[in-house]
């Protein structure tokens, strides 16, 4: 995983400290604020004005007053920021930073599935995880993040069926915690899918007294052996609440260790190993190749050049209503 070899080779080395100075100067000159997801490299999180999970960053994008946002994360996050703050210029360091989970649910297929269920006379409500394209969001009734999914699902009248897209693992976990049956879309995240139960159990054995903390996008067999399950912000709050120095085995994107170390430095954090799909070998491949596309150099370049930016598309209007109702209205 990581950047394609051709792309790595064409990168000219620039001193990270010089890049940081340049970014700081450009931010002030061009009225820019940087938002960074917990899954991007720690050096980018450190220069960001706001860090957080998808829910917090979507809300930050609305409340900040600068005219331009640089969203360091993946494409659907930049889209959500633009939809919620149409008057702002939203730049993203690399347009190719996609998301395997978002790609697993395309708008035409979702529309066909909704039509099929409705043709059977079923009264369905479509709930989408925020990791979806704006085109998919525009077809949905509610948008959730791992931070607010439970609360929104519990609000939906019991006589309606829920079609949950696109993450089957998160969907299954939510069925368990809410007691609601849902029709699940068969999507998953390539990063959370690869964790190896066998290696996790071995790591647990080799680290007596350790605890496993997992993101609900992980498959059920990983969640079943976890001591804590929660999205990135909940994970941060959880490790902060544990006073006794503990070794945590972290089953999510490994850049998450950076904000965990910052908020609760008394603990030790170890990434849970994964299994390489191509060879079946154990590896430390739990970095998201899309998040890794964000680099200091690209952040500098996008502020300097004012591109690439998220352009407003016709279906953003429809997605805006759903996003605002789901993420910005108090419950
Ligand atoms: S970690 Fe998974 S869900 Fe998150 S952006 Fe990467 S591919 Fe998408």
């Amino acid at each position: 995983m990581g950047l394609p070899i051709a792309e790595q080779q064409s990168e000219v080395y620039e001193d990270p400290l010089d890049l940081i100075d340049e970014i700081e100067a450009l931010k002030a000159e061009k009225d820019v604020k940087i938002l960074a997801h917990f899954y991007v490299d720690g050096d980018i999180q450190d220069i960001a004005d706001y860090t957080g999970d998808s829910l917090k960053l979507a809300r930050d994008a609305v409340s900040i007053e600068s005219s331009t946002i640089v969203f360091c994360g993946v494409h659907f996050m930049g889209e959500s920021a633009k939809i919620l703050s149409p008057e702002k210029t939203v730049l993203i360091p690399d347009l190719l930073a996609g998301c395997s989970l978002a790609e697993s649910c395309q708008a035409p297929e979702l529309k066909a599935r909704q039509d099929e269920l409705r043709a059977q006379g079923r009264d369905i409500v479509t709930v989408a995880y925020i990791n979806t394209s704006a085109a998919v969001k525009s077809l949905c009734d509610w948008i959730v993040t791992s931070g607010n999914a439970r609360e929104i699902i519990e609000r939906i009248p019991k006589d309606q069926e829920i079609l949950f897209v696109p993450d089957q693992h998160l969907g299954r976990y939510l069925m368990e915690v809410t007691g609601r049956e849902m029709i699940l879309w068969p999507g998953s995240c390539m990063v959370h899918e690869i964790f190896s139960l066998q290696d996790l159990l071995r790591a647990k054995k080799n680290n007596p007294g350790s605890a496993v903390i997992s993101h609900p996008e992980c498959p059920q067999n990983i969640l079943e052996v976890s001591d804590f399950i929660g999205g990135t912000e909940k994970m941060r709050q959880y490790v902060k609440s544990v006073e006794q120095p503990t070794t945590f085995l972290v089953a999510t994107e490994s850049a998450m260790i950076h904000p965990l170390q910052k908020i609760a430095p008394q603990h030790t954090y170890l990434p849970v190993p994964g299994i390489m799909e191509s060879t079946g070998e154990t590896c430390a491949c739990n970095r998201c190749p899309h998040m890794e596309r964000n680099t200091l150099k690209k952040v500098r370049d996008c502020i300097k050049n004012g591109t690439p930016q998220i352009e407003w598309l016709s279906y953003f209007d429809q997605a805006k209503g759903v996003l605002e109702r789901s993420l910005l209205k108090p419950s």
Side-chain angles (χ1 to χ4, degrees), residues 11-231:
E11 286 271 316
V12 176
Y13 177 78
E14 290 187 70
D15 188 325
L17 294 177
D18 291 344
L19 283 168
I20 290 168
D21 288 347
E22 230 184 307
I23 290 168
E24 291 301 340
L26 283 164
K27 269 168 61 181
E29 183 195 327
K30 296 186 181 266
D31 187 27
V32 167
K33 289 278 186 277
I34 297 179
L35 277 65
H37 191 271
F38 287 139
Y39 288 171
V40 297
D41 281 345
D43 52 3
I44 297 179
Q45 294 187 45
D46 289 343
I47 55 148
D49 300 284
Y50 300 82
T51 55
D53 60 5
S54 305
L55 179 60
K56 177 179 177 291
L57 292 177
R59 288 173 173 164
D60 289 339
V62 176
S63 65
I64 61 180
E65 284 177 1
S66 62
S67 58
T68 302
I69 289 170
V70 172
F71 207 117
C72 300
V74 294
H75 191 267
F76 76 80
M77 295 177 182
E79 268 188 343
S80 297
K82 179 69 185 175
I83 290 168
L84 290 169
S85 299
E87 72 292 352
K88 292 178 185 134
T89 300
V90 177
L91 304 170
I92 58 172
D94 190 327
L95 268 185
L96 295 178
C99 167
S100 66
L101 184 52
E103 277 149 30
S104 68
C105 182
Q106 299 292 330
E109 281 86 49
L110 174 59
K111 177 81 175 56
R113 182 74 173 126
Q114 289 172 322
D115 288 347
E116 182 193 343
L117 291 165
R118 288 183 181 128
Q120 294 166 9
R122 295 163 76 169
D123 182 10
I124 56 155
V125 173
T126 308
V127 177
Y129 190 30
I130 195 165
N131 296 38
T132 42
S133 67
V136 164
K137 287 185 176 81
S138 71
L139 297 173
C140 296
D141 301 288
W142 292 100
I143 308 297
V144 299
T145 68
S146 46
N148 72 351
R150 182 178 182 165
E151 176 212 320
I152 287 189
I153 286 168
E154 283 172 347
R155 264 197 245 161
I156 296 172
K158 297 253 176 341
D159 56 349
Q160 290 186 297
E161 279 192 276
I162 299 174
L163 169 61
F164 185 84
V165 303
D167 192 328
Q168 57 181 310
H169 302 305
L170 177 64
R172 198 167 295 115
Y173 170 72
L174 289 169
M175 279 176 24
E176 243 181 75
V177 297
T178 62
R180 276 298 284 270
E181 275 300 309
M182 299 196 288
I183 306 161
L184 301 182
W185 192 267
S188 56
C189 157
M190 63 194 289
V191 177
H192 291 89
E193 189 92 314
I194 51 107
F195 291 121
S196 150
L197 178 62
Q198 206 183 357
D199 289 314
L200 169 58
L201 295 176
R202 190 174 299 123
K204 225 180 154 173
K205 200 170 160 199
N206 292 341
N207 293 279
S210 61
V212 181
I213 52 175
S214 302
H215 194 283
E217 286 174 25
C218 290
Q220 197 173 8
N221 63 350
I222 298 294
L223 298 183
E224 276 169 358
V225 296
S226 298
D227 300 282
F228 175 83
I229 301 167

